[in-house]
Amino acid sequence: MVLIMADELVKIDHMTKKYDENTIIEDLSLTIHEGEVVVIVGPSGCGKSTLLRCINGLEPIQGGSITFRGESIDGKSKHINEIRQRIGMVFQSYELFPHKTILQNITLAPIMVQKRKKGEVEKEAEELLSRVGLLEKKDSFPRQLSGGQKQRVAIVRALCMHPEVLLFDEVTAALDPEMVREVLEVLLSLAEQGRTMVIVTHEMSFAKAVADRVVFLDHGEIVEEGRPVDFFEHPKTERAQKFLNTFTYDKVEKAK
Amino acid sequence: MIMSWEIMRAYLPLYAKALLLVLKIGWIGIALAILIGVGCSMIRHFKIPVLQRLVSVYIELFRNTPLLVQLFFLYFGLPKLGLDIDAEVCGALGLALLGGAYMAEAFRSGLEAVEPIQMESALSLGMSRRQAFLHVVLPQAISISVPAFVANIIFLIKETSVFSAISLMDLMFTAKDLIGLYYKTGECLTLLVIFYLIILLPVSIVGSLVERRLRYAGFGD
């Protein structure tokens, strides 16, 4: 084990991402350390989701580099499948496989990709399912589950691959308000276990609770980053202040 | 009009023979059509250069010309090129080529109906593109395409009624022949309808059972 490398899990170095002529992310550098929970916030269209997709090699980048434990992340490279096994990703729209049962959804990749024993994987899947309170749904199909349940299954599916970092892309944005909590509680318990996570979210109070570090992204660049207390209580930049203000409302003064 | 049960019963063996012919050619033609269709839609889906163009030309050509014309070309045209072709082979081939074009379109829309993010979700779990396609995209595309496949199969079986034009003794040929010989129009046409139903009703019923089963298995909300 190379000690210098061990700490830096994901390193984004002067990365640029363009769609045709539109620059989505420009010259962005960010390092995710082992055991760290990084929350990325910012207005819609600021490039948060694109950034996560780049970290998983789902989007080609036009400049700079992204590395995972020193290995380059490139969607076209031969090693990408091996790297992706070590990077878990959970999508906003769950993306469970509709033609597979819950258990099959979770065990498909570990059995097929990692060539693990079916019995062992199923045992682990059941254990993880019971931890998120969904063991009795193991033989159901995704369409029979609520949004919150589907998202918890998607998290379990990612976990069952034993990833070294987990990427969460607005995982509660498609959920009804009362289901948001059941999903966020799973994320909180993962944070307690010391998992390395990169979370894109619009849930500010959750961000404050779970983050070791908050990164504020606007127009494809990091405007501000720091500890959650500092960022949420005393944002330094005007853009961050303005952004945070959109989540608070002044008391309405009624005309008499 | 009074129909004679006796006459109908006398004709029965002839119709049964024609039924077997339709089933034989239909089965081979449709199986080939599915193979051609799936193959062609894959070529288009993966945008394989050159072949992709050829497939498009093939599909447009065969979807926009009547089966009768295609059969004439195969039956009268190929021998001129030195290829002696049996009428039954010709029928099956015509059905396969026409059906292939329709199946290709049906399967392509199935493939397109699977959201690209499903592929990404599979990739993010470390699957290769091949694994993701075979285990995640393909099964969904197949079940989405089943209703269109069933409709195409029914359509193709009905199209066998033009086989008489290349002297195949299909159901239509048998009926026309018998009417010409004995003028028992009512009996002959009734039998014709009954025999088509004997073939097609089971296809419809099995088709909708399969569709329902696939729906229950995992689609819709």
Side-chain angles (χ1 to χ4, degrees), chain A:
Chain A
M1 195 81 206
V2 185
L3 281 172
I4 313 150
M5 298 304 302
D7 190 38
E8 288 180 353
L9 210 52
V10 177
K11 193 172 167 72
I12 303 166
D13 197 26
H14 298 287
M15 177 205 124
T16 299
K17 165 74 201 168
K18 289 179 188 168
Y19 285 117
D20 300 324
E21 290 304 296
N22 290 332
T23 304
I24 309 295
I25 295 170
E26 191 153 29
D27 196 32
L28 183 141
S29 297
L30 179 69
T31 302
I32 315 290
H33 300 271
E34 208 163 340
E36 193 181 27
V37 177
V38 175
V39 173
I40 300 172
V41 297
S44 300
C46 70
K48 305 172 298 233
S49 293
T50 308
L51 179 60
L52 281 196
R53 292 169 56 80
C54 291
I55 297 178
N56 213 358
L58 293 173
E59 297 281 350
I61 57 173
Q62 281 71 41
S65 69
I66 306 176
T67 53
F68 177 79
R69 288 202 192 278
E71 282 184 80
S72 169
I73 295 175
D74 169 9
K76 291 198 165 61
S77 89
K78 278 190 175 159
H79 306 287
I80 189 69
N81 299 333
E82 194 266 326
I83 294 177
R84 282 196 185 118
Q85 290 173 42
R86 299 154 71 191
I87 304 176
M89 180 145 183
V90 184
F91 297 85
Q92 177 178 336
S93 45
Y94 338 118
E95 299 311 325
L96 298 180
F97 307 135
H99 58 298
K100 303 251 178 227
T101 64
I102 296 309
L103 195 63
Q104 288 166 346
N105 259 279
I106 300 167
T107 59
L108 180 67
I111 294 171
M112 191 167 70
V113 179
Q114 296 179 322
K115 311 266 182 270
R116 281 154 63 191
K117 291 245 163 31
K118 193 176 175 212
E120 172 242 329
V121 178
E122 280 182 350
K123 200 170 150 250
E124 184 184 350
E126 283 171 8
E127 205 178 292
L128 287 166
L129 274 176
S130 72
R131 237 188 275 170
V132 297
L134 290 173
L135 185 57
E136 77 278 15
K137 299 283 184 194
K138 72 184 170 97
D139 296 318
S140 305
F141 283 95
R143 64 173 187 92
Q144 295 165 307
L145 270 60
S146 72
Q149 291 172 329
K150 277 190 253 197
Q151 197 58 292
R152 281 182 279 158
V153 171
I155 295 170
V156 166
R157 185 173 69 172
L159 284 175
C160 209
M161 292 291 289
H162 305 154
E164 291 161 58
V165 58
L166 285 157
L167 312 176
F168 294 92
D169 186 10
E170 301 197 35
V171 290
T172 58
L175 298 177
D176 290 334
E178 68 269 28
M179 289 173 187
V180 169
R181 195 171 186 95
E182 66 188 44
V183 172
L184 294 184
E185 269 167 5
V186 176
L187 266 62
L188 284 168
S189 75
L190 291 173
E192 279 166 14
Q193 294 164 25
R195 295 248 180 202
T196 313
M197 304 199 277
V198 184
I199 304 171
V200 166
T201 186
H202 283 293
E203 302 286 334
M204 290 306 144
S205 54
F206 166 71
K208 205 164 149 181
V210 80
D212 293 317
R213 183 152 57 108
V214 179
V215 174
F216 173 59
L217 213 62
D218 194 13
H219 292 115
E221 57 174 10
I222 296 176
V223 177
E224 192 169 333
E225 66 175 295
R227 294 189 309 152
V229 254
D230 298 331
F231 177 76
F232 286 105
E233 306 302 331
H234 312 287
K236 290 192 285 283
T237 59
E238 200 186 322
R239 271 151 92 183
Q241 285 161 14
K242 233 172 120 186
F243 171 72
L244 288 171
N245 273 339
T246 60
F247 294 93
T248 54
Y249 296 90
D250 290 330
K251 176 88 182 93
V252 174
E253 296 287 342
K254 283 189 181 160
K256 291 208 171 127

Side-chain angles (χ1 to χ4, degrees), chain B residues 207-218:
Chain B
S208 19
L209 282 178
V210 172
E211 281 168 38
R212 203 172 313 160
R213 197 176 145 66
L214 285 172
R215 251 204 320 273
Y216 281 136

Side-chain angles (χ1 to χ4, degrees), chain B residues 154-174:
Chain B
I154 292 171
F155 157 76
L156 289 173
I157 293 174
K158 288 194 286 194
E159 283 290 299
T160 61
S161 59
V162 304
F163 280 177
S164 57
I166 54 166
S167 72
L168 278 172
M169 288 199 264
D170 74 314
L171 287 166
M172 196 68 197
F173 184 97
T174 304

